[in-house]
Amino acid sequence: MRGFVAHEISHLLQPASWDDKWKDDRAMISEGGAEFLRWRTSAALGWRDHEALKGELEKAVNGCVVAANRKSWRQVADRQWGSTPYACGMAFHALGLASRANDKPATLMLRDYYGMAQRSGKGDFAQALECGTAVGCQPRWLSRVTGDEPLANVMAAYARTPAAVFKPAEKWGAATTALVAHALVAQLMRADCGGAVSMYNEPDVARIAGGPSCKALRPGMGVVGAEGRALFSEQAAAQAVINACSANHKATLRLEDGGNVDIACDAATVSLPTELYTVDIDTALKRL
């Protein structure tokens, strides 16, 4: 509840309306800014411990990478609705502010951006977060986000810089494992249900919801495993699903009642980014 209230109050700090150079990314800027301030407030007031803060930032960064998969940000179909503007907005705020050209506190960089937009009715999200008023500064990372290259490439390049707040992960955290589990079930549902996805993302279950007409999936089914593995706790389960779709053209999902259901799929149906990330929480809290 504290985080919810902090997020909503953060919207009151934003201008009522402004014309940003990022044009139709208003949802990402608005929701991402509120998510960043919620996260920073939770850290400053001790509402969440370091492990929880790490998980939240990892969920945003990896959620954004998974949403984009191999596409550029401009090619992401749902970048203006659903969870994508929240996750990517949080990730882009972290990316830009962590890379800022000065040592001004990140929250004050955001305050200045909102103030400028309020006074002038105009803004430049990338310039404001990475450069502020620094003379001759050009944004390095957020300018690439708006380009044509896959978003995964931008994130991978940043993650390999010495002071990056997130780095390539060999072992996923719990938040990332659950995120991937939900993403894979959504991809399989899309294949089984004529392109539609309707499900509830419970902590340890992907709950199939009503709406679409599906071949195998039914409302109320709770998916907890896949290919003989625990989907929400075993990192290897994700690759097992991808391998099964590629080799056998089907994946076997385990339901919470102990039953199984087979979903027809192939290599084009189910995929993940080649790389996901872990957050260096000490660096993140210091820089952000």
Side-chain angles (χ1 to χ4, degrees):
M1 180 59 71
R2 286 169 169 169
F4 171 78
V5 172
H7 174 102
E8 298 306 329
I9 288 178
S10 294
H11 283 309
L12 301 179
L13 305 177
Q14 298 168 340
S17 64
W18 76 98
D19 180 22
D20 198 273
K21 285 190 175 181
W22 280 47
K23 301 296 182 184
D24 56 351
D25 279 324
R26 174 67 185 273
M28 179 278 293
I29 295 173
S30 176
E31 299 301 346
E35 278 294 275
F36 175 79
L37 289 172
R38 173 198 60 77
W39 181 85
R40 196 65 195 87
T41 301
S42 296
L45 299 181
W47 293 346
R48 307 284 277 167
D49 62 24
H50 281 200
E51 192 61 30
L53 293 166
K54 170 183 164 70
E56 288 178 353
L57 190 50
E58 284 181 355
K59 185 176 180 180
V61 171
N62 290 323
C64 185
V65 174
V66 168
N69 212 338
R70 294 170 175 82
K71 302 181 183 72
S72 71
W73 169 241
R74 295 298 181 189
Q75 292 173 322
V76 176
D78 61 349
R79 64 190 175 91
Q80 297 183 52
W81 61 82
S83 62
T84 300
Y86 291 79
C88 289
M90 172 76 161
F92 295 164
H93 276 75
L95 177 66
L97 290 168
S99 306
R100 66 191 184 279
N102 55 46
D103 291 326
K104 192 172 193 175
T107 49
L108 297 189
M109 295 287 285
L110 203 52
R111 178 203 64 181
D112 291 349
Y113 168 52
Y114 292 156
M116 176 186 65
Q118 179 69 43
R119 291 188 298 273
S120 68
K122 298 183 181 300
D124 186 336
F125 175 70
Q127 188 73 24
L129 267 61
E130 287 196 50
C131 295
T133 58
V135 177
C137 174
Q138 294 294 322
R140 178 182 179 186
W141 299 109
L142 293 178
S143 59
R144 288 177 62 176
V145 168
T146 59
D148 296 328
E149 66 182 309
L151 180 60
N153 291 4
V154 180
M155 303 300 258
Y158 166 76
R160 284 165 173 76
T161 60
V165 298
F166 56 85
K167 301 285 188 181
E170 292 185 7
K171 181 176 174 55
W172 300 344
T176 297
T177 304
L179 168 76
V180 169
H182 285 123
L184 287 175
V185 175
Q187 291 179 6
L188 290 168
M189 187 174 190
R190 188 172 287 113
D192 191 60
C193 305
V197 176
S198 180
M199 56 184 277
Y200 300 106
N201 292 346
E202 299 176 13
D204 299 313
V205 180
R207 180 82 55 193
I208 306 303
S213 176
C214 307
K215 297 173 184 176
L217 295 172
R218 297 290 181 268
M221 284 181 171
V223 179
V224 297
E227 295 301 311
R229 297 178 180 272
L231 192 56
F232 287 82
S233 60
E234 292 185 56
Q235 181 174 332
Q239 191 59 52
V241 171
I242 293 172
N243 293 345
C245 287
S246 179
N248 305 324
H249 302 294
K250 72 178 180 67
T252 300
L253 300 179
R254 187 173 78 248
L255 307 179
E256 61 183 347
D257 64 3
N260 294 312
V261 61
D262 290 338
I263 307 296
C265 55
D266 55 34
T269 302
V270 176
S271 64
L272 286 174
T274 56
E275 195 165 69
L276 294 174
Y277 302 96
T278 183
V279 166
D280 181 337
I281 190 60
D282 293 327
T283 299
L285 289 173
K286 181 179 180 180
R287 187 60 180 155
L288 297 174

